[in-house]
Amino acid sequence: MLPFIFAVFVPILYKMFTPRVHTGWFVFFVPLLIFSYLITFIPTIANGNTIITSIPWMPSYDINFTTYIDGLSLIFGLLITGIGALVILYSIFYLSKEREALHNFYVYLLMFMGAMLGLVFSDNVFVLYVFWEMTSVSSFLLIAYWYEREKSRYGAQKSMLITIFGGLAMLAGLVMITSSSETYSIREMLLNVDAIYASALFIPAMVLILLGAFTKSAQFPFSIWLPDAMEAPTPISAYLHSATMVKAGIYLVARLTPVFGGSNVWFWLVTGVGLITLLYGSVNAVRQTDLKALLAYSTISQLGLIMSLLGLGSAAMYFGLGDEIAIYGTAIFAAIFHLVNHSTFKGSLFMVVGIIDHETGTRDIRRLGGLIHLMPISFTLTVIGGFSMAGLPPFNGFLSKEMFFAAVNNAAKMDFFHMGTIGVLIPVVAWIASVFTFIYCMILVFKTFRGKYKLDKSRVVHEAPLGMLISPIILGSLVIIGFFFPNLLSNYLLKPALTSILPVLSEAEVLELKIEAWHGFLNPELWMTIGVVVLGTILYLNLRKWYRIYNSYPQSLTINNLYNLALDKMENISGSITNFYMTGFIRDYLVYILGFMILVVGGSIWLFDGVSFDSSNDAPVTLFEIAIMIVAVVSAVFVLFSKTRLTSIVSVGALGFLVAFFFVLFRAPDLALTQLVVETVTTALFLLCFYHLPQLRKEKSRIPFKLTNAIISIGAGAVVTIVALSVNGNRLFDSISSYYENAYELAGAKNIVNSILVDFRGIDTMLEILVLSIAGLGVYSLIKLRLAKEGSDERAE
Amino acid sequence: METLMSILVGILFAIGIYLILTKTLLRIILGTSILGHGVNLLIITMGGLEKGGPPLLGIKGLTYVDSLPQALLLTAIVINFATTALFLVLSYRAYKVLGTDDTRSLRGKSDG
């Protein structure tokens, strides 16, 4: 966790040394240190051992910070730190120390690196999720590094929305899978696979987790955020959007293959989406005119390739040991191999593009050309990277592409998962995508460096400084080394990773054979590659003739457009929904509240058959009471139909006095007294208000009748009556009031009500006094306090 | 008696709510007032209306009327009065400042 700790110190170092030393130098040693530390694990891992350390974090929830190092996580760890170190080295020369806010840059970068390392090494799924979101957040910060540009902010927001959406889906999936496997640890899940399969949550969990992986790894149709993330500084694009973050989804899929791999849904989803992404990315890459956008789409397409290989390989889980497993093992092996290769050549390509941008001031293919003599080293590096991406012989991309073709060919031959004729499509799609890959690689290499020099002559274009070139040179040489000595890499790193993805493959001899057999000539894969080269060359040379096809594709049907439209519509719709029910009128809200009250209370009474009616315990009725009741009803109804406000005030006052009468009848002298006084004062206040009515619209009218109001109010009244009656009919236990009849013995008072108020339940009274005083203060301040502005438009008294 | 009182309370509720749903401020406050009366009567009714002596120990009677609802009501009446007074003064101020008593025209400035 060194990166996080160090990130704290970056701003301090920045402030201390800025004018003299580039902050990046301090940061540089961090990944280097981790990288060399991780290298020491290689022998252990190569011997088939794993390393587990655990730090308790939330032991009561059984969530611990467990790191688990096996072949797969080691590969990722080495990639992250290795390319991280190179990217930092590159950024030291790429970013100006005077003009840029370097401390922000390196803090975010270290945060990202730490999160990414945590992601690949953690064994606990929730810790993994925490780091997963941390990569999203730090990537968001890095994309919007030049936050004053609008496009940066747009790209950052888009990637944030999409990856967080996937992350949350993944969290749901993880919760499901932990509930069915009853463990948070990925290792222990593997031991409990049967329970996971048996669970009803198996498919939803898988789909949700895959959603997370697909959004993160920019798979179709969630790939749209990646091209827009190219607004980030180039070192970031090289690091996050080609080598590390986008591989987090790949990592997750690979990591969980032993758990889900045996299912055919997993196979079809991963393979299918991977292939679609592969085709989509490569076809779209050809039409790009911005170099970084081209590389972004090529990243998408290569990620699709890796994803589809992982999908094909998961079939191995289904078949168990045998001949087939060797064949599908190849697919997984190719996936890991290509993963490493892609990180090397894509990283170097991004860096070269950054150099071109830095030296010429543009990344537009249409304006570039003829740089071959001006920038020979960059050209060589582009050739290495581009040809490797296209899958040409002397580079490592060739090997992984051959293995890819082998895997798809095998998949087509195998009849499984009711594949039938669809299976034949797999190699066809893969082949077409490879042709497109070839074309855009050629565009990348030749349109940039060959042809006429088109730029403004005044600008002196020259080779980049050596410091900037170090990192791409190292990566470029790795590309070549990867071709000539693949077994070195595979024996130490790839095989342990393979066994950690496919634990069923413990028989090492099967693997041993395959990896040595990479020099099998005259196999169909070689001819496929030759076909790719031939057709690709033909198409590239005639680019102008068929390029117009792209323009005929309607712009409004792109996924990007769909995304923007959806975002807009979502805002509009939620806005109009809010405007629809938030009318701003008090009456409407009251209608909602009362409507719900009627619905809920009345509805539950109706549903649970709560109406019961029992008047046997009622007190007897006297004529006098009936008379008062009738008068009360009449006076209340009178309020409704009175034409003037004065009559309604008077009838409400009358109602109040009648209530006082009721209190007398019901043997409540204190209440009657209070009620009389209060009613008098209230009526006086009403009259005060009435007197000060505005002069403007003093029309004295009846209340206009409104049906909805009538329905609501009658409904509410009916509900109250029904509730009252039902309660009255179902007394569960006697009152506790008999206790208060000891008032004299306990409190020395003969008036029970008063002793309750001041003795038994005195706190109520105290607070009631408080209410009265607050109201008094409120009235006073309402009348006395006037803001200056308010006073000006106040009407004269 | 309780049955009849329940019906009366229902009627008072209905009228009070109908008044609250109208647009004039004064009528709304009148509505809350009627609603308050309804609630008070409901509380005392639910306490049971059996005949008995008033809850004064000096009076020799066999039984007393339930005293607890009365104490609750006394509190409720005072609080009701306090809020009603506050609301009335508030509406009085609203008249003076805004020059209207129609809740339909009592709208804040539109957004933005």
Side-chain angles (χ1 to χ4, degrees):
Chain A
M1 294 306 96
L2 193 59
F4 289 119
I5 299 163
F6 195 76
V8 178
F9 294 105
V10 166
I12 304 169
L13 289 168
Y14 174 75
K15 288 277 183 271
M16 276 168 68
F17 296 103
T18 303
R20 284 163 289 162
V21 191
H22 198 287
T23 320
W25 287 114
F26 300 111
V27 181
F28 179 56
F29 81 92
V30 177
L32 214 59
L33 213 66
I34 304 175
F35 184 73
S36 39
Y37 177 65
L38 285 177
I39 282 187
T40 58
F41 290 125
I42 290 180
T44 324
I45 303 294
N47 291 332
N49 297 321
T50 53
I51 298 152
I52 300 163
T53 50
S54 186
I55 304 165
W57 180 26
M58 289 187 266
S60 53
Y61 285 101
D62 203 17
I63 293 179
N64 293 317
F65 194 92
T66 308
T67 60
Y68 173 65
I69 304 179
D70 64 352
L72 183 65
S73 46
L74 189 65
I75 284 197
F76 273 92
L78 287 172
L79 278 180
I80 292 161
T81 49
I83 296 182
L86 294 174
V87 159
I88 288 172
L89 186 67
Y90 175 77
S91 70
I92 290 172
F93 295 95
Y94 185 83
L95 293 171
S96 150
K97 69 180 169 204
E98 284 86 18
R99 273 177 289 136
E100 306 288 358
L102 286 176
H103 52 312
N104 291 349
F105 182 81
Y106 288 111
V107 168
Y108 301 157
L109 192 64
L110 282 175
M111 246 172 80
F112 174 79
M113 191 183 289
M116 200 66 208
L117 283 173
L119 171 65
V120 296
F121 286 127
S122 60
D123 178 51
N124 187 299
V125 287
F126 291 114
V127 177
L128 186 143
Y129 173 73
V130 168
F131 285 119
W132 182 279
E133 291 300 13
M134 247 150 117
T135 62
S136 295
V137 171
S138 51
S139 150
F140 168 77
L141 291 170
L142 283 166
I143 295 170
Y145 175 63
W146 288 311
Y147 51 82
E148 65 280 358
R149 298 182 189 173
E150 205 205 325
K151 281 184 102 178
S152 299
R153 295 199 302 270
Y154 171 76
Q157 186 209 32
K158 194 176 189 178
S159 74
M160 184 80 163
L161 285 177
I162 292 177
T163 52
I164 296 285
F165 159 73
L168 289 176
M170 190 183 99
L171 180 64
L174 290 177
V175 170
M176 285 179 186
I177 193 178
T178 47
S179 78
S180 58
S181 70
E182 290 168 355
T183 172
Y184 296 140
S185 156
I186 295 173
R187 268 177 303 123
E188 286 163 29
M189 269 174 205
L190 301 189
L191 307 175
N192 211 0
V193 169
D194 291 337
I196 297 173
Y197 273 80
S199 158
L201 291 173
F202 177 66
I203 296 289
M206 181 205 304
V207 171
L208 286 171
I209 290 177
L210 274 183
L211 207 59
F214 287 166
T215 50
K216 198 77 164 180
S217 285
Q219 298 295 300
F220 189 86
F222 307 110
S223 47
I224 47 171
W225 66 266
L226 189 63
D228 282 308
M230 289 301 131
E231 294 302 322
T234 305
I236 297 309
S237 309
Y239 188 46
L240 270 69
H241 307 126
S242 68
T244 49
M245 183 171 114
V246 287
K247 302 230 164 94
I250 304 268
Y251 170 78
L252 192 75
V253 169
R255 178 52 88 200
L256 293 178
T257 294
V259 180
F260 291 115
S263 147
N264 55 353
V265 181
W266 174 272
F267 171 84
W268 279 116
L269 269 178
V270 177
T271 314
V273 171
L275 282 172
I276 293 170
T277 314
L278 168 65
L279 195 64
Y280 165 83
S282 60
V283 169
N284 267 302
V286 177
R287 67 183 295 184
Q288 302 303 320
T289 53
D290 180 0
L291 283 177
K292 272 177 99 173
L294 188 149
L295 287 179
Y297 276 106
S298 87
T299 304
I300 292 171
S301 132
Q302 306 279 318
L303 290 170
L305 189 154
I306 300 173
M307 198 63 100
S308 65
L309 280 172
L310 285 175
L312 290 173
S314 73
M317 290 290 295
Y318 187 76
F319 285 108
L321 291 169
D323 273 350
E324 291 93 344
I325 198 160
I327 294 161
Y328 301 117
T330 323
I332 297 276
F333 188 75
I336 315 166
F337 191 40
H338 194 71
L339 176 104
V340 177
N341 293 344
H342 177 252
S343 300
T344 56
F345 66 68
K346 192 53 65 68
S348 91
L349 281 176
F350 265 111
M351 289 175 186
V352 170
V353 167
I355 289 171
I356 296 169
D357 187 16
H358 209 262
E359 298 302 324
T360 62
T362 181
R363 296 192 313 242
D364 195 328
I365 295 176
R366 287 163 299 187
R367 294 181 58 209
L368 289 167
L371 295 176
I372 184 163
H373 298 298
L374 295 166
M375 304 171 81
I377 305 176
S378 304
F379 171 68
T380 320
L381 289 170
T382 317
V383 167
I384 294 173
F387 283 14
S388 175
M389 185 152 73
L392 294 181
F395 309 106
N396 58 8
F398 173 71
L399 298 179
S400 40
K401 185 137 294 181
E402 293 286 273
M403 289 167 85
F404 171 57
F405 283 149
V408 290
N409 280 341
N410 285 326
K413 275 181 221 149
M414 281 298 160
D415 184 39
F416 55 96
F417 295 150
H418 323 292
M419 190 128 78
T421 46
I422 311 169
V424 185
L425 279 176
I426 295 178
V428 173
V429 168
W431 190 76
I432 296 172
S434 297
V435 173
F436 276 101
T437 307
F438 184 83
I439 297 171
Y440 71 70
C441 289
M442 294 307 112
I443 293 177
L444 173 69
V445 174
F446 292 110
K447 293 267 178 191
T448 316
F449 288 98
R450 295 294 301 272
K452 267 185 261 169
Y453 183 75
K454 296 176 200 156
L455 284 168
D456 197 357
K457 299 277 187 216
S458 62
R459 192 173 175 129
V460 187
V461 177
H462 52 76
E463 192 56 77
L466 184 66
M468 224 182 211
L469 284 169
I470 295 175
S471 309
I473 287 175
I474 293 175
L475 287 174
S477 49
L478 279 177
V479 169
I480 300 177
I481 293 171
F483 175 77
F484 287 108
F485 307 102
N487 290 321
L488 203 67
L489 183 71
S490 75
N491 283 334
Y492 283 105
L493 283 175
L494 301 185
K495 277 184 208 160
L498 182 55
T499 46
S500 58
I501 295 177
L502 291 178
V504 270
L505 280 185
S506 47
E507 290 167 29
E509 303 99 55
V510 187
L511 294 174
E512 212 77 51
L513 277 172
K514 276 188 306 172
I515 293 161
E516 304 299 334
W518 62 270
H519 261 308
F521 281 111
L522 289 176
N523 51 4
E525 289 81 43
L526 188 69
W527 294 107
M528 281 173 84
T529 306
I530 292 171
V532 166
V533 174
V534 171
L535 190 67
T537 316
I538 295 168
L539 281 175
Y540 171 71
L541 292 175
N542 299 311
L543 200 57
R544 296 219 169 276
K545 288 179 188 154
W546 57 273
Y547 201 70
R548 261 172 282 131
I549 294 170
Y550 280 116
N551 298 334
S552 64
Y553 185 75
Q555 198 65 71
S556 56
L557 281 180
T558 54
I559 306 171
N560 238 329
N561 228 306
L562 216 63
Y563 162 85
N564 287 335
L565 202 72
L567 216 58
D568 275 3
K569 278 273 175 284
M570 234 140 71
E571 276 175 20
N572 285 343
I573 290 171
S574 56
S576 55
I577 288 174
T578 310
N579 283 340
F580 172 71
Y581 76 89
M582 300 290 282
T583 51
F585 298 123
I586 218 171
R587 183 242 160 204
D588 294 349
Y589 303 139
L590 283 170
V591 167
Y592 302 149
I593 295 170
L594 292 166
F596 270 104
M597 180 206 123
I598 295 169
L599 214 68
V600 172
V601 178
S604 55
I605 288 176
W606 183 67
L607 269 182
F608 301 113
D609 205 19
V611 187
S612 64
F613 189 68
D614 177 20
S615 57
S616 56
N617 287 331
D618 279 13
V621 186
T622 62
L623 203 64
F624 190 49
E625 287 163 344
I626 292 179
I628 293 178
M629 217 173 266
I630 290 168
V631 178
V633 171
V634 167
S635 66
V637 172
F638 201 66
V639 179
L640 285 181
F641 296 103
S642 69
K643 275 186 182 157
T644 63
R645 292 194 176 97
L646 190 61
T647 41
S648 34
I649 290 170
V650 170
S651 32
V652 171
L655 181 63
F657 287 119
L658 287 169
V659 171
F661 264 121
F662 275 118
F663 290 151
V664 173
L665 279 179
F666 297 152
R667 311 282 195 274
D670 300 294
L671 286 184
L673 198 65
T674 319
Q675 179 67 29
L676 280 174
V677 175
V678 162
E679 198 53 44
T680 314
V681 179
T682 314
T683 310
L685 274 171
F686 270 117
L687 289 173
L688 180 79
C689 267
F690 167 73
Y691 182 73
H692 284 287
L693 266 184
Q695 306 294 312
L696 287 172
R697 294 189 295 120
K698 211 175 167 183
E699 78 273 28
K700 291 176 179 172
S701 61
R702 275 166 138 200
I703 304 169
F705 180 74
K706 233 178 169 179
L707 189 64
T708 47
N709 291 358
I711 291 171
I712 292 273
S713 48
I714 289 171
V719 165
V720 169
T721 304
I722 290 169
V723 170
L725 287 175
S726 308
V727 169
N728 203 29
N730 293 289
R731 284 178 192 280
L732 296 178
F733 41 80
D734 285 336
S735 166
I736 57 165
S737 295
S738 52
Y739 170 76
Y740 294 116
E741 281 162 21
N742 301 324
Y744 190 70
E745 288 78 29
L746 292 169
K750 287 189 175 176
N751 184 333
I752 300 177
V753 173
N754 287 2
S755 66
I756 291 176
L757 281 175
V758 298
D759 196 311
F760 293 111
R761 301 178 59 89
I763 292 178
D764 289 359
T765 312
M766 193 181 76
L767 295 176
E768 168 201 339
I769 292 167
L770 190 69
V771 168
L772 207 59
S773 3
I774 290 175
L777 283 174
V779 167
Y780 176 80
S781 50
L782 270 174
I783 293 172
K784 277 290 168 190
L785 289 182
R786 277 162 176 64
L787 297 175
K789 212 177 86 189
E790 215 177 279
S792 59
D793 52 20
E794 191 175 323
R795 304 152 71 80
E797 270 188 66
Chain B
M1 187 66 211
E2 276 91 339
T3 312
L4 286 177
M5 282 306 287
S6 298
I7 294 166
L8 175 66
V9 164
I11 293 170
L12 289 183
F13 260 80
I15 291 170
I17 287 171
Y18 190 84
L19 282 173
I20 286 176
L21 291 174
T22 57
K23 14 177 223 182
T24 346
L25 267 179
L26 193 68
R27 282 196 185 121
I28 290 175
I29 300 173
L30 284 174
T32 57
S33 202
I34 293 177
L35 207 60
H37 292 319
V39 172
N40 291 348
L41 287 179
L42 181 64
I43 292 175
I44 200 157
T45 308
M46 291 296 101
L49 297 177
E50 280 135 308
K51 297 291 174 179
L56 297 170
L57 291 175
I59 299 167
K60 290 287 171 205
L62 284 175
T63 53
Y64 297 103
V65 170
D66 199 339
S67 54
L68 197 56
Q70 294 196 12
L72 294 181
L73 260 184
L74 206 55
T75 315
I77 290 171
V78 175
I79 291 176
N80 196 9
F81 165 68
T83 50
T84 307
L86 188 68
F87 284 151
L88 271 173
V89 176
L90 192 67
S91 66
Y92 163 80
R93 280 288 291 163
Y95 289 156
K96 299 198 93 185
V97 175
L98 303 169
T100 179
D101 67 337
D102 188 349
T103 52
R104 284 269 150 187
S105 55
L106 286 179
R107 274 192 76 114
K109 291 187 178 96
S110 61
D111 307 336

